[in-house]
Amino acid sequence: MAVIAAQPYDYPLPMETGVALMIIDMQRDFLEPGGFGAALGNEVSRLQAIVPTVQQLQNTFRDRGGLILQTVEGHRPDLTDCPPSKRLRGNPRLKIGDPGPMGRILILGEPGNQIIPELAPQPGEPVIAKPGKGAFYNTNLEFLLKTHQITHLIVAGVTTEVCVQTTLREANDRGYDCLLVEDATESYFPEFKQATLDMVRAQGGIVGWTATAHQVLAGLAQWQAPPRFSR
Ligand code: TIU
């Protein structure tokens, strides 16, 4: 059995485990000026720092033939899947669906809704569009994970305390063993990121584990994906 050195204790990776890399919402909306993140009043540049680390995880999973799932947060152009409460919350300068510098704000298929080019998915790497903060809400994610016999999720992406934490909690309740990669997730609020890491691993790992990308890569190096999980 392989293990990833993690907090609050080692994350076990039995050799027959189905492990997926789950990259949450690394889309232009949150990382570039003029998108949804900026419309909510956030300074978006600090999220860029994790891109090389997420890329390193992505490349490792590609090399190993492991499943890589990405999500994007977005709504249908007719907004029928966007609750008015979400659109109006905080009375932002640009609301979901309004025209912005990267197309309509948080609308599926618009330029701002694309995953940043550095992390663009390759053919065969699923991208799950989600209307909420959690990746299980109103998506086929659980079906996809079951189809690929995935039980362990290595989680990265943005923002730590919003879509990442919501997804971790949803996954944890469904029985998945989740590890949040400390230096492959970021928030507009450093104190919220820190609090989320602390919350996830408190009480004996009540929501999951945390580890650095270096620790994850060292653990994965001891682990061999069974052929059925290879692409
Ligand atoms: N606003 C914020 O911090 N995040 C979101 O709205 N979505 C995600 O976290 N992806």
Side-chain angles (χ1 to χ4, degrees):
M1 184 169 83
V3 295
I4 295 173
Q7 294 190 56
Y9 58 92
D10 285 353
Y11 179 79
L13 276 179
M15 285 302 166
E16 69 279 8
T17 305
V19 185
L21 174 64
M22 189 147 178
I23 304 174
I24 307 286
D25 296 358
M26 291 295 283
Q27 61 201 68
R28 298 179 67 198
D29 289 305
F30 296 112
L31 284 106
E32 294 185 19
F36 182 56
L40 296 175
N42 297 301
E43 169 50 59
V44 296
S45 58
R46 56 172 293 113
L47 270 49
Q48 280 289 337
I50 64 167
V51 172
T53 312
V54 180
Q55 249 178 338
Q56 215 182 351
L57 292 166
Q58 191 183 43
N59 287 335
T60 299
F61 268 75
R62 278 180 184 154
D63 291 347
R64 301 291 304 273
L67 183 67
I68 303 171
L69 300 158
Q70 297 211 51
T71 64
V72 291
E73 181 179 352
H75 293 280
R76 292 163 47 112
D78 61 9
L79 296 177
T80 48
D81 61 354
C82 181
S85 60
K86 180 175 180 181
R87 187 158 188 270
L88 300 174
R89 186 74 50 80
N91 194 24
R93 191 172 42 83
L94 286 176
K95 295 183 177 58
I96 296 169
D98 288 349
M102 292 193 289
R104 293 179 67 199
I105 298 285
L106 213 64
I107 298 297
L108 298 172
E110 295 286 332
N113 204 237
Q114 306 303 311
I115 291 168
I116 58 168
E118 297 93 315
L119 298 173
Q122 289 184 350
E125 296 177 1
V127 178
I128 294 152
K130 61 184 182 62
K133 303 306 183 192
F136 287 84
Y137 174 67
N138 266 337
T139 72
N140 67 358
L141 173 60
E142 195 163 13
F143 169 73
L144 215 147
L145 294 175
K146 285 193 189 318
T147 301
H148 288 270
Q149 301 174 49
I150 299 297
T151 54
H152 287 53
L153 296 173
I154 306 292
V155 182
V158 296
T159 61
T160 315
E161 79 282 9
V162 183
C163 291
V164 173
Q165 180 166 212
T166 305
T167 300
L168 272 173
R169 290 176 182 276
E170 288 182 333
N172 184 58
D173 281 349
R174 286 165 174 79
Y176 294 93
D177 279 329
C178 301
L179 184 150
L180 175 56
V181 188
E182 296 161 18
D183 45 351
T185 183
E186 196 46 90
S187 167
Y188 301 123
F189 304 90
E191 67 276 24
F192 290 172
K193 171 178 173 175
Q194 188 56 50
T196 303
L197 297 177
D198 291 341
M199 274 182 231
V200 165
R201 62 197 176 201
Q203 305 184 60
I206 195 142
V207 181
W209 287 256
T210 76
T212 63
H214 179 78
Q215 290 171 317
V216 170
L217 296 173
L220 285 175
Q222 314 156 15
W223 174 78
Q224 284 186 327
R228 70 175 183 279
F229 299 124
S230 299
R231 279 187 282 135

